[in-house]
């Protein structure tokens, strides 16, 4: 991520500034979203936020191309960009709620509601299909069979959105297993940390000790064999 976005910021942005590179938007957005999710599960919220913001920046560049009247052949891809933006907003909203950045989350909630009103407008509303609209209508005391228009959503006050997001809290707590699965491991012999998940290997006998390579595994065996048991 650092190589792609921070060290080569200009190259990264220039790539998506070219209209025809919109084709890679979905796959790149997916990679960044997964990476941001990993950081979130580790509890590294600042890095998670940076990744999600980069994903949002890419989507905006692609939406500009698709809305350009001089590039009419790209207009059919606007729904694809909107969907990617909605998915990014879902993760950004969860992160903002975790960090209690409620004011910053207002435009994210509004955009998510607007997307559901535009593309997921089949009543009745339910949390599985239209979570933001469903919570919004409940907070306003309106029936879930009523779908507000995009224009109506953007006229709602900040206080209405704030009350709604705090009351229903569309967020997700990271479980202990999720955090463990996304942590980078450290070698039990030299204390070196792996650069990517799955780089280091567990002891094949006990499945507990971690080594960066065969050199450390052999060097540690004299002590480790005293506590090493067979794999369960």
């Amino acid at each position: 991520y650092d190589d792609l976005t921070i060290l080569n910021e200009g190259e990264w942005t220039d790539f998506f500034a070219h209209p025809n590179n919109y084709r890679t938007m979905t796959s790149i957005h997916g990679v960044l979203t997964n990476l941001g999710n990993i950081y979130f599960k580790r509890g590294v919220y600042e890095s998670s936020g940076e990744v999600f913001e980069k994903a949002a920046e890419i989507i905006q560049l692609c939406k500009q191309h698709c809305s350009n009247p001089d590039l009419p052949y790209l207009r059919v891809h606007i729904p694809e960009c909107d969907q990617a933006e909605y998915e990014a907003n879902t993760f950004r909203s969860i992160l903002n709620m975790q960090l209690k950045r409620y004011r910053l989350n207002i435009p994210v909630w509004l955009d998510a509601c607007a997307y559901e009103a535009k593309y997921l407008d089949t009543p009745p509303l339910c949390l599985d299909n239209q979570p933001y609209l469903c919570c919004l209508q409940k907070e306003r005391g309106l029936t879930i069979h009523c779908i507000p228009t995009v224009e109506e959503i953007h006229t709602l006050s900040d206080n209405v959105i704030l009350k709604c997001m705090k009351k229903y809290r569309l967020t997700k707590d990271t479980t202990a297993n999720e955090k463990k699965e996304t942590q980078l491991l450290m070698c039990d012999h030299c204390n070196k940390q792996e650069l990517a998940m799955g780089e280091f290997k567990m002891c094949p006998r006990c499945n507990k000790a971690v080594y960066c390579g065969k050199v450390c595994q052999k060097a540690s065996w004299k002590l480790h064999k005293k506590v090493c048991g067979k794999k369960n």
Side-chain angles (χ1 to χ4, degrees):
Y1 170 71
D2 289 344
D3 291 341
L4 288 173
T5 62
I6 298 176
L7 301 180
N8 299 298
E9 176 73 24
E11 294 180 16
W12 176 270
T13 305
D14 289 345
F15 177 81
F16 285 100
H18 194 284
N20 287 331
N21 286 336
Y22 78 91
R23 296 181 179 87
T24 65
M25 184 270 294
T26 301
S27 57
I28 295 297
H29 170 262
V31 170
L32 290 178
T33 298
N34 287 334
L35 180 60
N37 222 356
I38 289 173
Y39 282 144
F40 180 84
K41 291 177 180 178
R42 288 178 185 166
V44 188
Y45 299 127
E46 182 177 350
S47 296
S48 178
E50 290 176 356
V51 176
F52 288 143
E53 290 304 318
K54 177 57 64 177
E57 180 184 335
I58 292 172
I59 295 169
Q60 287 304 314
L61 285 172
C62 293
K63 288 185 73 173
Q64 290 175 17
H65 297 320
C66 294
S67 302
N68 189 337
D70 296 328
L71 303 171
Y73 62 94
L74 292 181
R75 292 192 63 83
V76 296
H77 298 284
I78 291 179
E80 182 181 351
C81 291
D82 287 343
Q83 181 180 355
E85 184 176 42
Y86 175 72
E87 293 171 355
N89 281 335
T90 298
F91 288 108
R92 292 168 71 193
S93 176
I94 292 174
L95 178 63
N96 286 335
M97 293 299 292
Q98 180 71 30
L99 299 178
K100 298 182 179 180
R101 300 189 303 205
Y102 301 124
R103 288 283 175 184
L104 191 64
N105 209 30
I106 292 175
V108 177
W109 255 72
L110 284 173
D111 287 345
C113 286
Y115 175 85
E116 291 179 356
K118 183 177 181 180
Y119 293 103
L120 308 176
D121 56 349
T122 303
L125 299 172
C126 69
L127 284 173
D128 289 335
N129 297 328
Q130 307 108 326
Y132 295 93
L133 275 186
C134 187
C135 294
L136 181 63
Q137 294 301 80
K138 287 183 178 180
E139 175 61 26
R140 299 168 69 200
L142 301 176
T143 173
I144 58 175
H145 293 275
C146 176
I147 306 290
T149 64
V150 174
E151 292 75 16
E152 182 183 354
I153 289 171
H154 284 291
T155 62
L156 298 174
S157 68
D158 288 354
N159 286 336
V160 170
I161 302 299
L162 281 172
K163 287 172 62 178
C164 188
M165 73 171 69
K166 289 181 180 180
K167 182 176 180 179
Y168 293 99
R169 300 188 65 84
L170 294 177
T171 186
K172 179 184 178 183
D173 295 327
T174 301
T175 65
N177 283 339
E178 287 177 326
K179 190 169 185 178
K180 182 179 179 181
E181 289 172 356
T182 56
Q183 289 293 335
L184 295 175
L185 302 177
M186 294 186 67
C187 177
D188 285 333
H189 183 71
C190 68
N191 293 324
K192 177 183 177 182
Q193 187 179 56
E194 61 183 357
L195 297 177
M197 290 187 300
E199 180 182 2
F200 292 176
K201 304 301 180 184
M202 298 281 194
C203 169
R205 285 175 58 86
C206 66
N207 203 34
K208 292 181 180 179
V210 179
Y211 299 108
C212 60
K214 291 184 177 180
V215 174
C216 279
Q217 185 178 7
K218 289 181 179 179
S220 179
W221 178 242
K222 186 176 181 179
L223 292 175
H224 178 60
K225 68 180 179 180
K226 298 177 181 178
V227 295
C228 182
K230 292 184 178 180
K231 181 178 177 181
N232 292 334

